[in-house]
Amino acid sequence: PEPGDLIEIDRPLYHHWALYLGDGYIINVTPVDEGAPSLSVSTTSIFTRRAKVKKQLLKEVVGNNKWRVNNKYDRSRTPLPVKEIIRRAERWIDKEVPYDVLGNNCEHFVTELRYGEPVSDQVS
């Protein structure tokens, strides 16, 4: 992956999304209500209303799951410059954000960083 790329991680019941920062690190949102890292996020995250933005190693978040670079929205949206994407992302590290599986989920978070607007096919 290249800095600014969207990373899609296959989970048992959904797809988790992160943004690649470089040097093996990603930024992603993880539910605050669970003590477990995003690796073990379960269906209880559906009921979570808050999430924490974390900078983590991609390999730790992925675990044994499959992942891919998926900048699928580049077909219909123009990504911001990479330096701007990374600058915007780093402002959020260790902050709590509202979370809603339908209206403000992990995919919404990273697409807003990349494109300047939140998008999620997962919920359409």
Side-chain angles (χ1 to χ4, degrees):
E2 297 293 324
D5 280 343
L6 297 178
I7 305 292
E8 183 179 17
I9 303 164
D10 295 337
R11 297 282 196 238
L13 298 173
Y14 68 103
H15 294 258
H16 183 64
W17 289 82
L19 181 100
Y20 191 72
L21 295 173
D23 297 324
Y25 284 92
I26 53 111
I27 187 170
N28 68 138
V29 293
T30 60
V32 168
D33 297 351
E34 293 184 17
S38 60
L39 174 61
S40 337
V41 170
S42 66
T43 52
T44 59
S45 66
I46 290 171
F47 305 108
T48 298
R49 291 306 210 189
R50 295 177 304 133
K52 186 158 190 176
V53 178
K54 293 186 180 179
K55 177 180 178 178
Q56 298 174 284
L57 285 169
L58 174 62
K59 65 182 180 182
E60 290 177 4
V61 175
V62 168
N64 294 324
N65 296 116
K66 291 183 179 170
W67 67 275
R68 72 196 67 72
V69 170
N70 190 350
N71 296 322
K72 64 183 178 177
Y73 300 111
D74 284 9
R75 294 186 298 264
S76 58
R77 291 167 175 78
T78 304
L80 296 168
V82 172
K83 284 184 179 181
E84 175 71 6
I85 294 169
I86 302 304
R87 186 187 66 74
R88 291 162 53 99
E90 288 176 339
R91 286 192 327 217
W92 288 103
I93 294 170
D94 292 330
K95 293 200 164 110
E96 274 192 24
V97 294
Y99 181 88
D100 172 11
V101 74
L102 296 177
N104 196 20
N105 64 34
C106 56
E107 187 176 10
H108 288 112
F109 178 75
V110 296
T111 54
E112 181 155 10
L113 293 175
R114 183 170 173 85
Y115 305 106
E117 64 177 312
V119 191
S120 177
D121 279 349
Q122 253 184 142
V123 296
S124 343

